[in-house]
Amino acid sequence: MNDRFGMFIHWGLYAIPARGEWVRHYEQISNEEYYKYFEEFNPVKYDPVKWAKLAKKAGMKYAVMTTKHHDGFCLFDSKYTDFKATNTKIKKDLVKEYVEAFRSEGLKVGFYYSLLDWHHEHYPVDQFHPMKNNPRYKEQKRDFSKYLEYMHSQVKELMTNYGKIDIIWFDFSYGDMSGEMWRASKLVEMVRELQPHIIINNRLGGDLRSENVPTYAGDFITPEQIIPPYPITNYKGDYVPWEACITMNNHWGYHASDKNFKSAKTLIRCLVECVSKNGNLLLNVGPNAYGEIPEESVRILEEIGDWIQKNSESIYGCGASQYPKPEWGRWTQKGNKLYAHIMEKPIGPIILPNLNGKIKKARLLSDGSEVRIIKPWNAVEYQNDAFINFDGVELPDPIDTVVELELEV
Ligand code: GLC
């Protein structure tokens, strides 16, 4: 909750077909057909140090990478399967290298792990399974408890073989496939025992907002492709930690023709919105078959980094303000520091509602320059409010001009 901004990484064999990570499902690709990508997979340009440096430059403080997605392919060296990166041409434990690289750049490290597994012979052929329309698959006898053993053993490997892990991100529960169906209490107990400091997401099931929170409900809520309308609270009204996961284009896994990238401006404002509502942003990249983060993503992340570098004080350690959302943008707050994120220049002076007499000093965060609290002639009747202004028709930073207001205590 201090760090606020992280990198999500969706990477696997699906980078080769390059039509997103659900390609097996949408195109009903069998294990046999999908195997050709396994034989081909050879990400010779995989350089996690480069990824980590990029994440750091963008202002991200942590990362979460897919160790296994729904397709069942493991980027780590699991002894319970042959369907893993070490058996491909690259012959490497890609997760191990990721952990080392991100750690050495001072970033916190998280693992995404898919509860669904379309490769495993004992995972049910249900509505999401690529072979749901294939009679041969439907007739096979499947023993879900065998899958559960496999899944628990893999999670144990991930929690044992890679040193300290900061986050585990399970994905996902649906219908009956939720909670104890995953033997979730046992799973969480094991995870917490092996990694006492770990933070667990909420997709094993259970509701963190409810009165009876099961142990497996995790530590934070994970809104997907949406920013909640207001801070998330539980039944008592206490804040519940959350992290929105958002794609930069319209897919998680690499998609060669999806060039629908959101601008740096949109994503910076998205981050600010999350923080202003007490949340985090986990922003996704989908590296390609060679192991490179798409150049569009690189450019956008660098631009985000330029802004963050100047305005980091208004993000890290910040959260929702005691003041309601202003018309020109958003507030973030950390103790007696109130950050005005001004995104739209109003006609006339910028109004700081109900802050008259409460501001000790105001500074432009990007350069520390004084922002004078003014008393405009045309605003005398608005006695409760304070006012500032900038010369010129444009704001100093058209993306988000941040003014740090030090409040009287
Ligand atoms: C979903 C999707 C998935 C993606 C995830 C990210 O549940 O199944 O492909 O990994 O959300 O939040």
Side-chain angles (χ1 to χ4, degrees):
M1 289 160 73
N2 180 70
D3 291 355
R4 290 302 186 208
F5 190 26
M7 177 182 268
F8 213 174
I9 307 169
H10 275 73
W11 194 40
L13 299 182
Y14 43 79
I16 303 176
R19 296 185 292 276
E21 80 291 353
W22 274 70
V23 63
R24 282 203 61 187
H25 164 89
Y26 291 124
E27 299 179 16
Q28 307 194 16
I29 301 174
S30 67
N31 279 344
E32 294 78 11
E33 285 171 87
Y34 199 62
Y35 199 71
K36 64 171 181 269
Y37 302 126
F38 178 77
E39 289 176 311
E40 183 183 331
F41 190 66
N42 193 17
V44 288
K45 293 189 179 158
Y46 176 50
D47 182 355
V49 175
K50 206 166 155 188
W51 294 4
K53 286 194 192 306
L54 176 65
K56 197 172 166 184
K57 204 165 162 200
M60 292 159 154
K61 299 286 193 189
Y62 62 98
V64 177
M65 178 158 96
T66 50
T67 57
K68 180 193 88 172
H69 205 268
H70 310 335
D71 66 355
F73 176 69
C74 296
L75 279 73
F76 64 107
D77 188 13
S78 168
K79 64 173 189 233
Y80 302 99
T81 184
D82 294 329
F83 197 49
K84 56 183 177 182
T86 41
N87 288 346
T88 63
K89 286 187 179 138
I90 197 77
K91 291 194 174 66
K92 282 180 183 171
D93 184 327
L94 303 169
V95 168
K96 183 163 176 276
E97 295 194 0
Y98 152 76
V99 172
E100 285 165 5
F102 278 69
R103 277 249 165 281
S104 69
E105 288 302 317
L107 295 157
K108 296 195 182 102
V109 173
F111 288 162
Y112 168 108
Y113 183 85
S114 173
L115 300 168
L116 288 73
D117 194 317
W118 300 329
H119 181 83
H120 199 277
E121 56 184 344
H122 292 296
Y123 196 85
V125 182
D126 61 14
Q127 79 264 37
F128 294 124
H129 200 282
M131 291 294 98
K132 62 170 190 258
N133 297 323
N134 182 325
R136 187 164 57 84
Y137 275 75
K138 293 211 82 148
E139 281 158 19
Q140 286 162 1
K141 265 207 136 0
R142 290 178 179 240
D143 178 352
F144 189 55
S145 70
K146 290 204 172 117
Y147 173 69
L148 288 178
E149 252 167 65
Y150 172 79
M151 187 261 275
H152 282 235
S153 309
Q154 286 205 321
V155 172
K156 189 167 184 185
E157 286 181 316
L158 289 169
M159 295 296 97
T160 310
N161 298 344
Y162 299 90
K164 187 184 169 205
I165 300 305
D166 301 290
I167 302 166
I168 185 146
W169 218 100
F170 294 109
D171 192 33
F172 58 83
S173 292
Y174 53 104
D176 293 342
M177 305 294 272
S178 181
E180 293 307 0
M181 198 69 146
W182 306 116
R183 292 188 195 143
S185 302
K186 260 189 89 187
L187 187 66
V188 162
E189 194 185 316
M190 181 249 292
V191 167
R192 294 220 191 267
E193 196 180 305
L194 294 169
Q195 299 280 346
H197 302 284
I198 205 161
I199 296 171
I200 306 179
N201 78 336
N202 67 333
R203 293 195 181 179
L204 280 168
D207 186 351
L208 277 170
R209 293 165 303 187
S210 65
E211 203 163 342
N212 294 311
V213 181
T215 55
Y216 55 75
D219 301 306
F220 66 99
I221 294 183
T222 54
E224 179 171 331
Q225 306 288 40
I226 188 170
I227 304 174
Y230 23 71
I232 298 179
T233 49
N234 65 14
Y235 74 103
K236 283 190 288 192
D238 298 335
Y239 290 130
V240 179
W242 61 268
E243 171 191 69
C245 49
I246 307 280
T247 52
M248 293 181 87
N249 55 2
N250 291 328
H251 291 86
W252 299 98
Y254 184 69
H255 194 300
S257 64
D258 177 2
K259 300 293 179 194
N260 230 329
F261 286 89
K262 298 163 189 76
S263 67
K265 172 174 153 182
T266 297
L267 292 168
I268 289 164
R269 291 177 174 191
C270 167
L271 171 63
V272 171
E273 181 174 352
C274 290
V275 178
S276 79
K277 295 172 179 176
N278 270 334
N280 285 30
L281 172 63
L282 188 62
L283 183 60
N284 184 70
V285 295
N288 66 21
Y290 298 138
E292 298 164 301
I293 293 178
E295 57 187 47
E296 294 89 345
S297 299
V298 173
R299 245 188 303 111
I300 295 162
L301 288 171
E302 283 173 349
E303 238 183 282
I304 295 174
D306 290 342
W307 182 89
I308 289 213
Q309 221 172 29
K310 295 184 215 137
N311 297 293
S312 62
E313 282 299 319
S314 69
I315 299 292
Y316 308 127
C318 292
S321 165
Q322 65 203 85
Y323 294 98
K325 181 189 174 318
E327 300 208 33
W328 35 255
R330 298 188 180 277
W331 298 118
T332 60
Q333 190 165 356
K334 172 167 49 186
N336 69 330
K337 297 278 175 62
L338 177 63
Y339 296 97
H341 294 261
I342 307 163
M343 301 171 190
E344 219 179 299
K345 193 167 191 287
I347 300 296
I350 296 164
I351 307 176
L352 311 176
N354 292 310
L355 282 165
N356 189 21
K358 296 186 183 150
I359 300 168
K360 204 162 151 194
K361 65 179 196 194
R363 299 286 181 265
L364 189 66
L365 188 57
S366 59
D367 68 359
S369 60
E370 180 178 29
V371 177
R372 283 181 310 141
I373 305 295
I374 52 174
K375 291 222 172 284
W377 64 271
N378 51 358
V380 280
E381 64 244 72
Y382 310 117
Q383 284 301 320
N384 291 331
D385 307 326
F387 296 86
I388 56 174
N389 213 347
F390 294 103
D391 299 334
V393 280
E394 290 288 342
L395 289 162
D397 186 334
I399 293 181
D400 174 3
T401 296
V402 185
V403 178
E404 182 181 79
L405 305 173
E406 191 180 322
L407 301 180
E408 303 276 5
V409 278

